[in-house]
Amino acid sequence: MPPRLAAPLVVVALAAVLAAGCGGSSPETTGTSSAPIGATARSCPIQATEADALRATGVSCDQARQVMYGWRQKGSCSSPPGASRVSCTTRSYRCLGARTDRGTAVSCSRPGRSIAFVAKRR
């Protein structure tokens, strides 16, 4: 093979090998979880005396309210005086809270599901 033709063929062959290793048309799973297809965050009705803005993704409003009530009733979910953040598990959801001037902003989740609300100060 003439040398001036060999170099371009080597470049084309290397490009083909690299392209074959990058991506593909088959779907891959990365091990991350997400909400079910078609799930969207929705507002759930609650009594205004309990909390503000209960939002649920991938979970019913009834279940979101139960998690919110569980968070409020569980003593370890209450932030101690002076603490700005709190975390706990309630009803198999991992919850994180941060104190704000309106109360405690709470986010609870488990794979494929999330619940958020602002718990009013007691």
Side-chain angles (χ1 to χ4, degrees), residues 19-70:
C22 295
S25 61
S26 64
E28 272 187 37
T29 57
T30 60
T32 61
S33 62
S34 61
I37 294 173
T40 57
R42 66 174 165 249
S43 293
C44 298
I46 53 173
Q47 292 182 5
T49 58
E50 301 165 344
D52 287 329
L54 176 62
R55 309 265 305 161
T57 303
V59 62
S60 71
C61 285
D62 286 338
Q63 189 173 7
R65 278 189 289 275
Q66 291 303 313
V67 170
M68 181 190 71
Y69 295 144

Side-chain angles (χ1 to χ4, degrees), residues 10-11 13 17 29-30 43 47 49-50 78-79 81 84 86 104 106 112:
V10 169
V11 170
V17 169
T29 57
T30 60
S43 293
Q47 292 182 5
T49 58
E50 301 165 344
S78 300
S79 56
S84 63
V86 63
T104 302
V106 180

Side-chain angles (χ1 to χ4, degrees), residues 69-78 88-91 122:
Y69 295 144
W71 187 89
R72 298 221 14 128
Q73 292 171 354
K74 193 169 185 178
S76 64
C77 292
S78 300
C88 67
T89 301
T90 185
R91 301 184 190 261
R122 295 181 185 182

